Amino acid sequence: MCLAVPAKIIERTEYMATVEISGVTRQVSIMLLPEAAVGDYVLVHAGFAIQAIDEEEARRTLALFKELDQYAADS
Amino acid sequence: MLLTAEETARAARFFTDGITCLATRPVRLMEVCGTHTVAIFRAGIRQLLPAAVELVSGPGCPVCVTPNEYLDTAIAYSRRPGTIITTFGDMLRVPGSESSLMAEKACGADIRIVYSALDSLAIARDNPGQAVIFLAVGFETTAPTAAATILQADKQGLTNFFVLSAHKLVPPALKAILATPATKVDGFLLPGHTAAISGLEPYRFVAGQFGVPAVVTGFEALDILQGIYMLLQQLQQGQAELQNQYRRVVKTEGNPAARDILDQVYQPAGTGWRGFGEIAGSGLELTAAFRRFDAQAALPLTVAGSREPAGCRCGEVLRGLITPPACPCFGRHCTPEQPVGACMVSVEGACAAWYKYGQGRWSCE
């Protein structure tokens, strides 16, 4: 029940946002994430954006995994 | 994750090689969250781990830990004339003491599955003569969505919308597990999406007070492997810290706006958990300002005679005392088609995951 999916905000009003999830758009509430802006990646759970995804940290995670990939390839 | 399958496989090999090197003694790690349980099975992570590393599921499936008393109350409300029940789909098939919401729906009860608690408000507006009761089930991730919905209902002046609250908080259940020496947990993979709301502070006691390593972990296969790797690193070095593997989503302070809304609408209260009984401060009840939305306060109804199913050991599964195949019901007269206990019903239930992804291998254990 705590499953949440990443989505990109493509439009917002005061309380609602249109997000894109894997090519599908839908309306979610941004009451729990009032500072969310168009272009942000957010985590959507049960029709609500619950947290912003930190792009810098996401890039770092990806870079780490790629680094480990290189390590494993070399070993 | 934007890695190719080959890159993912290689990175996974880095972690599994590391885990194998670090697993110099048997360790028992608990994945607390039901979403983790399913991700672990789906990615085949158990098969990648050395025999010394045992993964055990915890109490992190909200449907599973909801006791029959709640289900029986929800079923009784569904039989109440002029009532519409709204619920997330996974509650429907969970057996109560004598019936289920699915069975009641088949008999004509007006029970509607919603994707979001907010959907209930439109139903309430469209049915002014009826009481709409939302089954508010879930942990820290879900509770703020119900709280925000209640704020909206208040703003819209709805008088026919109510909630039957079974919200629960994860840290008190972890405390109950840590206070049970029989569980023998050496480390915790903590639920990333509850921590996204609560932040790290409520989980510090795991390492601080009980000296058990803990890692807040994401839900991709590589996140989980890294979380296990981080736990084993701590165990090998004799450390006990709270670490955050899921930094791209979980901030130290969590989501303060969500917590503010939660605190406006709900306050901590004792509540019952399947398998645990009552745990102090582990539930959420409506604050005085919003109590008019409490179904049990506004539409009182008495339910007696709730009981757990005979022979079912879901309670011990949820406390990490046994794995599902140790239950005599599992796979015999408890299957996803004919479930006896909640852990076999919920898509996040440990028994359902063992049954679905174990592909019969559990029968050899």
Side-chain angles (χ1 to χ4, degrees):
Chain A
M1 193 174 280
C2 292
L3 184 69
V5 292
K8 186 179 184 180
I9 295 185
I10 53 175
E11 213 175 286
R12 68 159 283 178
T13 60
E14 193 178 356
Y15 298 115
M16 299 296 286
T18 306
V19 298
E20 187 184 321
I21 303 172
S22 305
V24 177
T25 58
R26 65 166 302 140
Q27 292 284 302
V28 301
S29 168
I30 47 169
M31 277 179 76
L32 304 177
L33 205 62
E35 72 278 19
V38 170
D40 283 355
Y41 282 89
V42 295
L43 214 54
V44 173
H45 170 68
F48 285 78
I50 59 164
Q51 187 55 284
I53 297 170
D54 186 323
E55 282 190 66
E56 184 53 35
E57 284 293 349
R59 264 196 292 273
R60 271 185 218 164
T61 305
L62 201 61
L64 171 72
F65 289 158
K66 279 192 183 278
E67 210 174 289
L68 301 181
D69 165 46
Q70 194 52 50
Y71 175 95
D74 292 346
S75 62
Chain B
M1 232 349 175
L2 305 178
L3 291 175
T4 65
E6 195 184 339
E7 286 170 334
T8 304
R10 285 183 187 161
R13 206 175 83 215
F14 172 87
F15 287 126
T16 50
D17 287 352
I19 289 166
T20 303
C21 288
L22 291 168
T24 52
R25 65 177 175 89
V27 293
R28 199 158 193 260
L29 310 177
M30 177 177 277
E31 89 273 2
V32 177
C33 179
T35 310
H36 274 153
T37 300
V38 173
I40 285 166
F41 274 100
R42 195 174 284 159
I45 285 176
R46 278 167 197 277
Q47 286 90 325
L48 296 176
L49 299 178
V53 180
E54 183 190 359
L55 291 181
V56 61
S57 304
C61 161
V63 175
C64 305
V65 295
T66 301
N68 271 5
E69 194 182 350
Y70 178 89
L71 287 155
D72 293 341
T73 306
I75 287 164
Y77 275 118
S78 78
R79 292 172 177 168
R80 182 182 175 275
T83 305
I84 299 171
I85 301 287
T86 60
T87 177
F88 297 133
D90 36 7
M91 290 296 287
L92 232 63
R93 293 180 62 236
V94 185
S97 299
E98 287 174 0
S99 182
S100 69
L101 291 165
M102 180 80 97
E104 297 301 319
K105 190 171 164 65
C107 292
D110 195 344
I111 299 170
R112 306 186 192 185
I113 295 172
V114 290
Y115 165 68
S116 164
L118 274 179
D119 298 342
S120 310
L121 300 189
I123 295 171
R125 276 195 306 273
D126 292 344
N127 297 275
Q130 295 191 283
V132 175
I133 301 177
F134 173 64
L135 305 186
V137 173
F139 294 122
E140 286 89 336
T141 321
T142 314
T145 70
T149 301
I150 290 166
L151 284 185
Q152 284 292 100
D154 185 48
K155 204 171 163 186
Q156 293 172 13
L158 286 172
T159 55
N160 65 329
F161 170 74
F162 307 95
V163 296
L164 184 61
S165 180
H167 287 308
K168 289 179 168 47
L169 304 171
V170 173
L174 291 186
K175 220 168 241 181
I177 284 170
L178 285 161
T180 309
T183 308
K184 295 191 185 85
V185 177
D186 299 299
F188 285 97
L189 292 172
L190 293 178
H193 291 152
T194 62
I197 302 291
S198 70
L200 299 182
E201 205 51 46
Y203 291 105
R204 291 204 190 278
F205 74 93
V206 176
Q209 190 182 331
F210 290 92
V212 176
V215 177
V216 173
T217 308
F219 296 88
E220 303 275 349
L222 290 178
D223 289 329
I224 295 168
L225 283 172
Q226 189 183 17
I228 296 169
Y229 178 70
M230 289 165 78
L231 282 175
L232 288 175
Q233 276 184 318
Q234 287 198 52
L235 285 166
Q236 216 221 11
Q237 290 161 15
Q239 291 175 322
E241 287 176 12
L242 172 65
Q243 296 176 325
N244 183 6
Q245 182 278 332
Y246 200 27
R247 298 164 74 100
R248 63 190 187 275
V249 167
V250 176
K251 293 155 183 70
T252 305
E253 71 281 8
N255 180 338
R259 278 206 312 282
D260 280 352
I261 286 178
L262 190 65
D263 291 345
Q264 278 181 59
V265 176
Y266 285 109
Q267 60 195 19
T271 195
W273 295 57
R274 191 190 300 274
F276 290 80
E278 173 106 0
I279 302 177
S282 69
L284 293 169
E285 65 180 13
L286 290 159
T287 55
F290 295 96
R291 199 152 294 152
R292 68 182 179 281
F293 292 103
D294 181 347
Q296 285 175 301
L299 312 164
L301 183 149
T302 309
V303 176
S306 289
R307 60 180 194 284
E308 299 301 322
C312 172
R313 295 181 72 183
C314 276
E316 289 158 274
V317 170
L318 293 165
R319 290 162 67 202
L321 293 172
I322 62 166
T323 52
C327 175
C329 302
F330 180 83
R332 296 177 182 88
H333 53 278
C334 181
T335 63
E337 290 74 33
Q338 291 289 330
V340 173
C343 299
M344 186 60 90
V345 182
S346 169
V347 290
E348 294 186 352
C351 296
W354 274 86
Y355 191 94
K356 182 173 179 186
Y357 297 104
Q359 296 172 339
R361 281 192 288 271
W362 41 265
S363 60
C364 304
E365 294 191 5

